[in-house]
Amino acid sequence: MSSETVTSTTTPTATPPAATTTTTTAVNLEQVAYFLVTGASRGIGAKMAIETARKFKAGSVVVLLARSASGLESTRAEILAVNPHVTVVTSSVDLATASKELLNEILDKSLGKQPTDRFGLACVIHNVGTVGNIGRKATDLDDRTEWEQYFGTNVFTVAVLNSCFLRKFQSVPGKLVINITSKACLVPFQSMTYYCAGKAAREMYFRVLAEEEAAAGVTVLNYSPGPVDTDMTVDLQANSNAPEIRDYFKGLRDTTTILTTDQTTAKFLHILQNGLFKSGDHVDYYDH
């Protein structure tokens, strides 16, 4: 309505409220999706792959990457048991050294002749991660090759795969990128130099991505799953050079307060489907 003065011959009407545009990060998983998960042979990656794929509509494609071929087949079988209407493709690959060409080949083969615009959602979960050498302190980590190998798996190939993925599915209206991060990217933990440094670098990459690609329809979630009962935390409890770290995980297990993969996956899906995050934010299990 105009801001001009209303004359006495005009019946005044209420000024309508200004139009507001609301945006939500809530994700509808019940559609035809292309879904890729790294580190999908066990632990958090496997459980997230199974429980997320459970929700997809017929015709969806699920792609599982990890080094263990037998672990991938196990995850594949569990997905098909809960949702037999999706196609599950597995690829045993070492992400420490995977090239852009190899990653593009995996994407192409998983699609076959299907056009990417048949999908309503393209989602990738970057779950792959290693804890690194936890037997030595930061001052002892003087092997450049070991540094390069760690960052190759946990940062470099993650970024390259993400670029390949978003380029391949740029025509898909909904693009969702999930980075499995950790409190260790925010807080230093003794004996975990590699892990803390790698998680910090990786999360900042995804935060920049969220800023740059918002207008392109890309939503980014940095999800920190909390302390979960996995092979990684077993390793930390047994082999960390820091007594505090060993005692922390022992205490969680002794009191059965360590989280299960079921618990953290359920929280992850709750956050995702209800849009309880801003794109690019770090969201911890205990935040909700």
Side-chain angles (χ1 to χ4, degrees):
M1 180 177 176
S2 170
S3 60
E4 295 175 358
T5 303
V6 179
T7 67
S8 59
T9 58
T10 305
T11 303
T13 57
T15 303
T20 57
T21 302
T22 58
T23 58
T24 177
T25 53
V27 178
N28 174 25
L29 295 173
E30 295 180 5
Q31 56 181 313
V32 179
Y34 182 98
F35 178 51
L36 187 150
V37 186
T38 65
S41 61
R42 60 182 181 174
I44 295 171
K47 183 59 66 174
M48 285 186 169
I50 295 161
E51 295 306 317
T52 308
R54 180 194 293 271
K55 300 178 180 297
F56 295 142
K57 284 191 173 181
S60 295
V61 175
V62 177
V63 181
L64 309 174
L65 305 185
R67 283 181 296 183
S68 170
S70 60
L72 288 173
E73 282 305 310
S74 176
T75 305
R76 177 179 182 272
E78 290 196 59
I79 290 173
L80 291 174
V82 299
N83 189 349
H85 307 295
V86 301
T87 298
V88 183
V89 179
T90 64
S91 183
S92 177
V93 58
D94 185 356
L95 290 173
T97 56
S99 66
K100 176 175 67 175
E101 290 74 20
L102 175 59
L103 296 172
N104 277 322
E105 181 182 334
I106 290 170
L107 293 174
D108 288 339
K109 284 186 175 181
S110 68
L111 283 167
K113 296 182 178 180
Q114 300 178 81
T116 57
D117 59 8
R118 67 178 293 272
F119 301 106
L121 174 69
C123 173
V124 56
I125 298 183
H126 296 285
N127 168 69
V128 68
T130 59
V131 72
N133 190 328
I134 54 176
R136 291 186 288 159
K137 295 182 177 181
T139 54
D140 299 323
L141 300 176
D142 58 0
D143 186 334
R144 182 184 179 92
T145 299
E146 191 174 80
W147 274 103
E148 290 173 348
Q149 289 174 341
Y150 185 83
F151 269 72
T153 300
N154 294 277
V155 182
F156 302 157
T157 304
V158 171
V160 173
L161 172 59
N162 195 68
S163 294
C164 293
F165 182 87
L166 289 180
R167 192 173 296 120
K168 179 67 66 178
F169 295 99
Q170 58 186 330
S171 65
V172 176
K175 292 175 281 289
L176 176 64
V177 175
I178 296 150
N179 171 40
I180 302 304
T181 187
S182 169
K183 185 178 180 180
C185 81
L186 306 173
V187 179
F189 291 97
Q190 293 184 48
S191 80
M192 298 171 66
T193 305
Y194 281 126
Y195 191 74
C196 291
K199 286 295 187 184
R202 179 160 149 174
E203 180 163 313
M204 185 53 75
Y205 164 83
F206 285 107
R207 289 176 62 187
V208 172
L209 178 80
E211 291 290 325
E212 292 181 339
E213 300 302 322
V218 177
T219 301
V220 179
L221 170 61
N222 290 297
Y223 177 66
S224 177
V228 183
D229 191 6
T230 61
D231 290 345
M232 181 181 290
T233 56
V234 169
D235 185 21
L236 282 162
Q237 183 177 332
N239 300 310
S240 169
N241 68 52
E244 299 90 339
I245 297 296
R246 297 196 301 271
D247 291 345
Y248 171 69
F249 286 106
K250 182 178 186 301
L252 288 176
R253 286 192 166 85
D254 287 348
T255 57
T256 64
T257 51
I258 195 165
L259 299 172
T260 65
T261 57
D262 283 316
Q263 286 175 301
T264 199
T265 298
K267 182 65 68 70
F268 158 73
L269 289 171
H270 175 71
I271 291 166
L272 199 62
Q273 292 178 288
N274 290 280
L276 303 179
F277 67 102
K278 176 186 173 184
S279 185
D281 277 1
H282 175 106
V283 181
D284 191 272
Y285 174 89
Y286 293 106
D287 289 344
H288 297 282

mmCIF file of all heavy atoms in Angstrom, residues 176-194:
data_model
loop_
_atom_site.group_PDB
_atom_site.id
_atom_site.type_symbol
_atom_site.label_atom_id
_atom_site.label_comp_id
_atom_site.label_asym_id
_atom_site.label_seq_id
_atom_site.Cartn_x
_atom_site.Cartn_y
_atom_site.Cartn_z
ATOM 1 N N LEU A 176 23.209 -31.716 -1.247
ATOM 2 C CA LEU A 176 23.495 -31.772 0.181
ATOM 3 C C LEU A 176 24.875 -32.375 0.414
ATOM 4 O O LEU A 176 25.163 -33.480 -0.040
ATOM 5 C CB LEU A 176 22.430 -32.623 0.888
ATOM 6 C CG LEU A 176 22.610 -32.869 2.378
ATOM 7 C CD1 LEU A 176 22.538 -31.572 3.167
ATOM 8 C CD2 LEU A 176 21.545 -33.860 2.877
ATOM 9 N N VAL A 177 25.723 -31.635 1.117
ATOM 10 C CA VAL A 177 27.080 -32.067 1.426
ATOM 11 C C VAL A 177 27.215 -32.187 2.941
ATOM 12 O O VAL A 177 26.977 -31.221 3.671
ATOM 13 C CB VAL A 177 28.118 -31.065 0.884
ATOM 14 C CG1 VAL A 177 29.524 -31.463 1.318
ATOM 15 C CG2 VAL A 177 28.034 -30.979 -0.639
ATOM 16 N N ILE A 178 27.583 -33.369 3.399
ATOM 17 C CA ILE A 178 27.726 -33.609 4.835
ATOM 18 C C ILE A 178 29.168 -33.991 5.133
ATOM 19 O O ILE A 178 29.715 -34.936 4.547
ATOM 20 C CB ILE A 178 26.771 -34.726 5.301
ATOM 21 C CG1 ILE A 178 25.317 -34.287 5.101
ATOM 22 C CG2 ILE A 178 27.021 -35.076 6.757
ATOM 23 C CD1 ILE A 178 24.378 -35.418 4.836
ATOM 24 N N ASN A 179 29.774 -33.259 6.033
ATOM 25 C CA ASN A 179 31.124 -33.546 6.485
ATOM 26 C C ASN A 179 31.039 -34.084 7.908
ATOM 27 O O ASN A 179 30.514 -33.424 8.801
ATOM 28 C CB ASN A 179 31.968 -32.268 6.468
ATOM 29 C CG ASN A 179 33.326 -32.454 7.127
ATOM 30 O OD1 ASN A 179 33.968 -33.491 6.963
ATOM 31 N ND2 ASN A 179 33.770 -31.445 7.876
ATOM 32 N N ILE A 180 31.540 -35.301 8.119
ATOM 33 C CA ILE A 180 31.596 -35.840 9.476
ATOM 34 C C ILE A 180 32.843 -35.264 10.137
ATOM 35 O O ILE A 180 33.969 -35.578 9.776
ATOM 36 C CB ILE A 180 31.619 -37.379 9.473
ATOM 37 C CG1 ILE A 180 30.379 -37.915 8.756
ATOM 38 C CG2 ILE A 180 31.678 -37.898 10.908
ATOM 39 C CD1 ILE A 180 29.049 -37.432 9.312
ATOM 40 N N THR A 181 32.590 -34.379 11.072
ATOM 41 C CA THR A 181 33.663 -33.632 11.709
ATOM 42 C C THR A 181 33.830 -34.104 13.150
ATOM 43 O O THR A 181 33.450 -35.222 13.501
ATOM 44 C CB THR A 181 33.387 -32.119 11.588
ATOM 45 O OG1 THR A 181 34.506 -31.380 12.062
ATOM 46 C CG2 THR A 181 32.138 -31.702 12.327
ATOM 47 N N SER A 182 34.382 -33.275 14.004
ATOM 48 C CA SER A 182 34.657 -33.683 15.377
ATOM 49 C C SER A 182 34.888 -32.458 16.246
ATOM 50 O O SER A 182 35.294 -31.393 15.763
ATOM 51 C CB SER A 182 35.912 -34.567 15.408
ATOM 52 O OG SER A 182 36.353 -34.788 16.733
ATOM 53 N N LYS A 183 34.628 -32.628 17.522
ATOM 54 C CA LYS A 183 34.996 -31.580 18.497
ATOM 55 C C LYS A 183 36.489 -31.304 18.431
ATOM 56 O O LYS A 183 36.954 -30.217 18.785
ATOM 57 C CB LYS A 183 34.590 -32.041 19.901
ATOM 58 C CG LYS A 183 34.795 -30.995 20.989
ATOM 59 C CD LYS A 183 34.331 -31.508 22.342
ATOM 60 C CE LYS A 183 34.549 -30.460 23.425
ATOM 61 N NZ LYS A 183 34.104 -30.963 24.765
ATOM 62 N N ALA A 184 37.242 -32.283 17.936
ATOM 63 C CA ALA A 184 38.692 -32.146 17.845
ATOM 64 C C ALA A 184 39.126 -31.103 16.824
ATOM 65 O O ALA A 184 40.296 -30.736 16.788
ATOM 66 C CB ALA A 184 39.326 -33.494 17.502
ATOM 67 N N CYS A 185 38.203 -30.604 16.002
ATOM 68 C CA CYS A 185 38.576 -29.528 15.087
ATOM 69 C C CYS A 185 38.504 -28.175 15.802
ATOM 70 O O CYS A 185 38.976 -27.167 15.279
ATOM 71 C CB CYS A 185 37.695 -29.521 13.839
ATOM 72 S SG CYS A 185 36.098 -28.727 14.035
ATOM 73 N N LEU A 186 37.910 -28.160 16.995
ATOM 74 C CA LEU A 186 37.750 -26.924 17.770
ATOM 75 C C LEU A 186 38.605 -26.910 19.029
ATOM 76 O O LEU A 186 39.012 -25.846 19.503
ATOM 77 C CB LEU A 186 36.277 -26.751 18.181
ATOM 78 C CG LEU A 186 35.231 -26.798 17.068
ATOM 79 C CD1 LEU A 186 33.827 -26.776 17.670
ATOM 80 C CD2 LEU A 186 35.422 -25.625 16.112
ATOM 81 N N VAL A 187 38.856 -28.090 19.592
ATOM 82 C CA VAL A 187 39.560 -28.219 20.867
ATOM 83 C C VAL A 187 40.764 -29.131 20.695
ATOM 84 O O VAL A 187 40.639 -30.211 20.106
ATOM 85 C CB VAL A 187 38.619 -28.804 21.942
ATOM 86 C CG1 VAL A 187 39.339 -28.976 23.273
ATOM 87 C CG2 VAL A 187 37.384 -27.925 22.107
ATOM 88 N N PRO A 188 41.944 -28.738 21.182
ATOM 89 C CA PRO A 188 43.114 -29.611 21.054
ATOM 90 C C PRO A 188 43.074 -30.768 22.043
ATOM 91 O O PRO A 188 42.734 -30.589 23.215
ATOM 92 C CB PRO A 188 44.287 -28.666 21.379
ATOM 93 C CG PRO A 188 43.700 -27.624 22.287
ATOM 94 C CD PRO A 188 42.280 -27.442 21.827
ATOM 95 N N PHE A 189 43.419 -31.961 21.542
ATOM 96 C CA PHE A 189 43.494 -33.139 22.394
ATOM 97 C C PHE A 189 44.898 -33.733 22.288
ATOM 98 O O PHE A 189 45.398 -33.957 21.177
ATOM 99 C CB PHE A 189 42.464 -34.186 21.968
ATOM 100 C CG PHE A 189 41.042 -33.784 22.246
ATOM 101 C CD1 PHE A 189 40.264 -33.215 21.252
ATOM 102 C CD2 PHE A 189 40.499 -33.973 23.510
ATOM 103 C CE1 PHE A 189 38.946 -32.845 21.509
ATOM 104 C CE2 PHE A 189 39.188 -33.608 23.768
ATOM 105 C CZ PHE A 189 38.401 -33.037 22.778
ATOM 106 N N GLN A 190 45.513 -33.993 23.420
ATOM 107 C CA GLN A 190 46.850 -34.567 23.419
ATOM 108 C C GLN A 190 46.874 -35.895 22.669
ATOM 109 O O GLN A 190 45.920 -36.667 22.726
ATOM 110 C CB GLN A 190 47.326 -34.788 24.859
ATOM 111 C CG GLN A 190 47.564 -33.496 25.640
ATOM 112 C CD GLN A 190 48.119 -33.776 27.025
ATOM 113 O OE1 GLN A 190 49.071 -34.551 27.180
ATOM 114 N NE2 GLN A 190 47.523 -33.159 28.039
ATOM 115 N N SER A 191 47.963 -36.125 21.979
ATOM 116 C CA SER A 191 48.241 -37.329 21.177
ATOM 117 C C SER A 191 47.509 -37.339 19.845
ATOM 118 O O SER A 191 47.771 -38.190 19.011
ATOM 119 C CB SER A 191 47.913 -38.626 21.941
ATOM 120 O OG SER A 191 46.521 -38.914 21.920
ATOM 121 N N MET A 192 46.594 -36.375 19.629
ATOM 122 C CA MET A 192 45.748 -36.396 18.432
ATOM 123 C C MET A 192 46.093 -35.250 17.472
ATOM 124 O O MET A 192 45.214 -34.632 16.878
ATOM 125 C CB MET A 192 44.280 -36.352 18.844
ATOM 126 C CG MET A 192 43.860 -37.552 19.670
ATOM 127 S SD MET A 192 42.197 -37.431 20.389
ATOM 128 C CE MET A 192 41.178 -37.436 18.907
ATOM 129 N N THR A 193 47.381 -34.977 17.312
ATOM 130 C CA THR A 193 47.829 -33.864 16.464
ATOM 131 C C THR A 193 47.309 -33.994 15.040
ATOM 132 O O THR A 193 46.738 -33.046 14.487
ATOM 133 C CB THR A 193 49.369 -33.799 16.424
ATOM 134 O OG1 THR A 193 49.867 -33.723 17.756
ATOM 135 C CG2 THR A 193 49.835 -32.592 15.626
ATOM 136 N N TYR A 194 47.530 -35.143 14.431
ATOM 137 C CA TYR A 194 47.080 -35.343 13.050
ATOM 138 C C TYR A 194 45.567 -35.147 12.942
ATOM 139 O O TYR A 194 45.066 -34.443 12.069
ATOM 140 C CB TYR A 194 47.436 -36.748 12.566
ATOM 141 C CG TYR A 194 48.860 -36.945 12.135
ATOM 142 C CD1 TYR A 194 49.641 -37.965 12.673
ATOM 143 C CD2 TYR A 194 49.439 -36.124 11.156
ATOM 144 C CE1 TYR A 194 50.947 -38.167 12.267
ATOM 145 C CE2 TYR A 194 50.743 -36.320 10.747
ATOM 146 C CZ TYR A 194 51.495 -37.339 11.308
ATOM 147 O OH TYR A 194 52.791 -37.535 10.903
#
